[in-house]
Amino acid sequence: LVVVVVDSAIYWLVIAALYGNSAFSGLTLEVLAVFAFAGVIGTALGRITIFVGVDKVGASLNSTILSTRPLFATMIALVFLGEPLGPVTGLGIVILVAGLAMLTASQGGDLAGWRPRELLWPIAAAITFAVANVARRYGMLETPISALEAVAINETAGLIALVAYVAAVGGHVGDELSLIHI
C-alpha cells in the first residue's frame, strides 16, 4: 500500500510539472476505464494474490509460477489484440507449461506441505498481471496520452482498490491474507 501511495503521488507531481493544464488531453472515458481496470486487476488484485501465493506455497515456487505471466499475456494478446504467435514464443509456452507441471509433480519449493490447488494463487497472480499488461497495451494503442499519464491512472485505480481491500479486512492483513480462501 505504501509503495502505491508513493508511486501515485510522484506520478501526479511529475505530470503536473511536465504537462500542467494540458495533462490528459485527448483522454476518453473508454481509455480511462481501460487503465483503471488494469490498475485494479494488476496493481491491486495481482499484488494481493502474490502475497497469498507466498503464504500458501512459499516465495521460490510462487516467484517461479509468477514467471508464467508471458504465457498468459501471449494468449490473451493473441485473442484480444490479434498479436502474432511465432514459433519461438510457442516453444517458450510449451516449456513454461512443462515446467509448471514438473513443479506441481515434484512438490518443490521453499515451503513444504502445500497442496496442488494452492498453486492457483500464483497462477492467478500471473493471470492478473497478464490481463493488466494486455489492457495497458490496448489502452496505449487507443490513446494519445503519455505512458506517464497512463501509469498515473493505473496506479491511482490500484491504490483505491487496495485501500478498499484493507478497509474490507479491517486493516488486519496478517491472518486474513485474502477475503477468498481456497
Side-chain angles (χ1 to χ4, degrees):
L1 188 58
V2 171
V3 169
V4 181
V5 167
V6 172
D7 284 352
S8 297
I10 290 171
Y11 295 139
W12 286 103
L13 288 172
V14 171
I15 287 170
L18 291 178
Y19 301 115
N21 290 338
S22 67
F24 301 101
S25 60
L27 178 67
T28 65
L29 186 57
E30 175 191 11
V31 172
L32 175 66
V34 167
F35 289 114
F37 169 78
V40 169
I41 297 299
T43 302
L45 188 57
R47 286 179 183 210
I48 293 167
T49 54
I50 281 176
F51 283 95
V52 176
V54 168
D55 181 56
K56 299 292 184 184
V57 300
S60 64
L61 187 56
N62 188 73
S63 295
T64 301
I65 294 170
L66 186 60
S67 297
T68 63
R69 173 180 22 193
L71 160 74
F72 299 110
T74 299
M75 294 307 186
I76 296 165
L78 178 73
V79 171
F80 290 101
L81 300 180
E83 289 188 2
L85 174 64
V88 173
T89 304
L91 178 62
I93 288 171
V94 169
I95 292 169
L96 278 171
V97 170
L100 185 57
M102 288 192 308
L103 281 170
T104 303
S106 73
Q107 290 280 305
D110 59 347
L111 185 66
W114 55 267
R115 296 181 303 263
R117 72 180 189 176
E118 292 172 331
L119 294 176
L120 292 175
W121 289 107
I123 291 170
I127 292 170
T128 60
F129 285 123
V131 167
N133 285 343
V134 173
R136 290 179 193 113
R137 174 71 176 141
Y138 172 78
M140 294 307 293
L141 291 172
E142 297 297 315
T143 186
I145 69 171
S146 70
L148 180 60
E149 293 164 316
V151 76
I153 295 168
N154 179 94
E155 292 296 293
T156 302
L159 173 61
I160 293 166
L162 285 170
V163 167
Y165 172 77
V166 170
V169 297
H172 302 286
V173 183
D175 291 333
E176 311 93 338
L177 283 174
S178 74
L179 295 173
I180 306 166
H181 292 284
I182 293 184

